[in-house]
Amino acid sequence: MRKFTQLNSVVMPLDRANVDTDAIIPKQFLKSINRAGFGPNAFDEWRYLDHGEPGMDNSQRPLNMDFVLNQPRFQGAQILLARENFGCGSSREHAPWALEDYGFRVIIAPSFADIFFNNCFKNGLLPIRLDAEKVDTLFKSIAAQDDFKLTVDLENQRIALPDGTVYAFEVDAFRKHCLLNGLDDIGLTLQHVAEIQAFEAKRHAAQPWLVA
Amino acid sequence: MNAQTLYDKLWNAHVVRQDADGTALIYIDRHLVHEVTSPQAFEGLKLAGRKLWRVASIMAVADHNVPTTGREQGIADPIARLQVETLDKNCADFGVNEFKMSDVRQGIVHVVGPEQGATLPGMTVVCGDSHTSTHGAFAALAHGIGTSEVEHVMATQCLVAKKSKAMLVKVKGTLGKGVTAKDVALAIIGKIGTAGGTGFAIEFAGSAIRGLSMEGRMTLCNMAIEGGARAGLVAVDDNTVNYLKGLPYAPKADVWDQAVAYWHTLHSDAGAVFEAVVELDAAEIKPQVTWGTSPEMVVAVDGCVPNPADMTDPVKREGAERALRYMGLEANTPITEIQIDKVFIGSCTNSRIEDLRAAAVVAQGKTVASNVKLALVVPGSGLVKAQAEAEGLDKIFIAAGFEWRDAGCSMCLAMNDDRLNPGERCASTSNRNFEGRQGQGGRTHLVSPAMAAAAAIAGHFVDISKL
């Protein structure tokens, strides 16, 4: 997994609540058996004017210029700002894969759906929960200031605004450690093989029908 | 010992180890696998040279991509075919138990698991699919996971997790005529919102829940995720035990009594404390119809499409305005005046035998309305299909003008050829009315099976409690 420490970036404002994972990456692209390459189809139905299918040359497709992702000002944004309940619906990890492949590293919203939130940390993406009022302030600041950028610092758990305002954010200690160091969970868990084996043996002895 | 919730009991029984900050390793008893969220996990294992920790814990079945018609000719779409073939190959390479497309036991993973007795009370059940919450109907701690976690469970039999909070949703009283588990689920989501259960495991309780069949409880727990909760739960009772008896993967005679004795401890203790409690009166729940693009955008069938202008929260108002534009609906339109183009009866929410029976009762002796271009009935598994045919339900549906298909996820998410065209409006027994979910530009109204069948016959929504 890619490390995440800090970044300074333009912020793409996606002013919607309940952005679901079907919208982040529509179902037809889930037929892929690969982990990479979903970026050009992130938000496909909002981003293009035609119907997308796997295998199309996305560079030739008509863009929906009303959609924020296509606006010149937000090109290269590594931070995505959205409203409540971002990432709801399907557990498809293709959603964080698509966002990461597109170039996002941070998503800021007042709240996230649990499974999506969890999936982000497995893919070098940092989801940040921020009060709805602060999120609203950020939307307004982006609208007011063309060159608005944020600095996100994971080590110190701080978001710095251009005017010097700093927002602190919470992050789970274990997830922070993994993200800062680019660690995958499996290797870490396998350090506890003996404990898992002992637990399993005891459980199966007590509930023999689980292995019958 | 302090009084425990059902969730406490299930959690505590599976903690392998726990760090000071609450991060735990949770042991996983059952891992269900389908073709869409597993290929990258199997590939990860292969690349790292890792083995499956406990191959017997895994049950695999292709469901999302499978055609529901002309199956003997295979899958026409080469990308979908490759994904299903990849599952077949991975299962063969790793020795995983798989029900292939030609197997009568094939079907939607959340229908197949319980039907086989592979989901048992007290288990932890995971699957790379958000509707894994379905299995909580059996007092199993069951939830959806991402593909990285699928790989993690394959390699370690554990999941890294933190304990959720517990919510009690109590539905008192008795459900009225024509009101089903689906209506209860939608009414609950309408009340708590699609993020209301975020961070919680929801236990459904109360006399109306006790009165539900196992199929009904599965429908309810299936929709827990649409209320934001990864897991839904219902305590064990005689319904649970009777459902499981004799199923292929259920405990055999020598350990059955031991298992049942343990299962009967799987309920919340008197006095157990929940972090949140929500109560509903069953008598007040009417048949539900969603009007928007989120399951929380729902009203009773005798109501009207709401007016965004009446909403005070600007984010909600804007969401409702966008939803009405997408849905092609005017504010204040009576729900029963909404005409439909297609009907879908199926999905992991509502494709079990009880669902098909309820729809067939409504369809019997009637004809699908002329404005309805397609009315699909897609059983949840090959075994559900066989059971329905043994009861003659297929003949009722076909005589009424419905299409009778093979088992799979089908038009719930339209990964196969079953889908809506832009602008088409569908009465659907599935679980998500998101933009584009059933096909780009498609408009989904979530309803119960009986409501969907009634809409197919009338060509518009009707209040089945008044039929």
Side-chain angles (χ1 to χ4, degrees), chain A residues 20 22 27 30-31 34 46 51 89-91 93 114 118-119 172 186 189 192 195 199-200 203 207, chain B residues 14 17 27 29 40 53 77 83 129-130 146-149 152 162 199 413 415 432 435-437 440:
Chain A
D20 60 76
D22 275 80
K27 81 278 293 175
L30 271 50
K31 295 173 189 173
N34 302 313
W46 293 343
H51 173 75
S90 160
S91 60
E93 197 164 317
D114 286 339
N118 214 22
N119 284 341
D172 179 87
I186 294 179
T189 298
H192 306 295
E195 272 176 279
F199 180 93
E200 184 173 60
R203 177 163 179 75
Q207 301 191 7
Chain B
H14 290 89
R17 69 189 310 280
Y27 186 82
D29 296 308
Q40 298 88 350
W53 181 284
D77 175 355
Q83 194 167 57
D129 193 289
S130 60
T147 296
S148 295
E149 291 176 317
H152 189 279
K162 271 193 168 176
L413 87 166
M415 270 187 86
R432 292 191 173 130
E435 286 184 25
R437 171 81 178 181
Q440 189 166 9

Side-chain angles (χ1 to χ4, degrees), chain A residues 18 20 22-23 27 88-89, chain B residues 131 182 186 189 194 223 226 289-299 323 326-327 329 349 411-413 420 426-439 441-447:
Chain A
N18 299 314
D20 60 76
D22 275 80
K27 81 278 293 175
C88 61
Chain B
H131 290 112
K182 180 64 162 288
L186 288 169
I189 294 163
T194 48
M223 296 284 285
E226 310 315 332
V289 182
T290 64
W291 53 268
T293 54
S294 167
E296 69 184 17
M297 295 173 170
V298 63
V299 290
Y326 180 85
M327 294 295 290
L329 289 173
T349 311
M411 209 203 278
C412 172
L413 87 166
L420 299 181
C426 182
S428 178
T429 67
S430 55
N431 39 59
R432 292 191 173 130
N433 50 350
F434 300 158
E435 286 184 25
R437 171 81 178 181
Q438 294 192 288
R443 295 161 171 168
T444 303
H445 295 270
L446 303 176
V447 290

Side-chain angles (χ1 to χ4, degrees), chain A residues 15-18 20-23 26-36 38 44-46 48-55 61 83-85 88-94 97 111-115 118-119 122-123 129 136 172-175 184-190 192-201 203-212, chain B residues 13-17 21 23 25 27 29 36-37 39-41 43 50 53-54 65 77 79-80 82-83 86 120-124 127-130 144-149 151-152 155-158 160 162 194-195 197-200 225-226 228-230 251 255 258-259 262-263 293-294 296 315 318 322 413-415 419 432 434-441:
Chain A
D15 197 354
R16 296 191 190 205
N18 299 314
D20 60 76
T21 53
D22 275 80
K27 81 278 293 175
Q28 61 268 35
F29 305 105
L30 271 50
K31 295 173 189 173
S32 167
I33 57 172
N34 302 313
R35 233 176 222 269
F38 294 101
D44 198 272
E45 292 186 7
W46 293 343
Y48 301 101
L49 294 170
D50 63 346
H51 173 75
E53 283 292 334
R61 297 174 59 196
R83 302 282 183 180
E84 285 84 359
N85 201 27
C88 61
S90 160
S91 60
R92 59 187 69 169
E93 197 164 317
H94 311 68
W97 293 341
S111 58
F112 293 87
D114 286 339
I115 301 177
N118 214 22
N119 284 341
K122 317 286 183 190
N123 294 285
R129 293 192 192 104
D136 201 51
D172 179 87
F174 175 73
R175 286 163 161 163
D184 290 313
D185 290 349
I186 294 179
L188 294 173
T189 298
L190 288 174
H192 306 295
V193 163
E195 272 176 279
I196 302 168
Q197 285 172 334
F199 180 93
E200 184 173 60
R203 177 163 179 75
H204 289 167
Q207 301 191 7
W209 61 88
L210 293 173
V211 278
Chain B
H14 290 89
V15 176
V16 174
R17 69 189 310 280
D21 76 340
T23 302
L25 274 186
Y27 186 82
D29 296 308
V36 178
T37 56
Q40 298 88 350
E43 189 192 20
R50 290 184 172 125
W53 181 284
R54 197 166 93 81
N65 271 304
D77 175 355
I79 308 175
L82 175 65
Q83 194 167 57
T86 302
L120 296 173
M123 276 184 166
T124 40
C127 175
D129 193 289
S130 60
I145 56 177
T147 296
S148 295
E149 291 176 317
E151 184 180 339
H152 189 279
T156 70
Q157 211 60 38
C158 291
V160 179
K162 271 193 168 176
T194 48
T198 301
F200 288 93
I225 185 65
E226 310 315 332
R230 291 177 77 177
V255 285
Q258 188 190 351
Y262 170 65
W263 295 346
T293 54
S294 167
E296 69 184 17
V315 175
E318 206 171 306
R322 183 181 294 119
L413 87 166
M415 270 187 86
R419 63 184 71 169
R432 292 191 173 130
F434 300 158
E435 286 184 25
R437 171 81 178 181
Q438 294 192 288
Q440 189 166 9

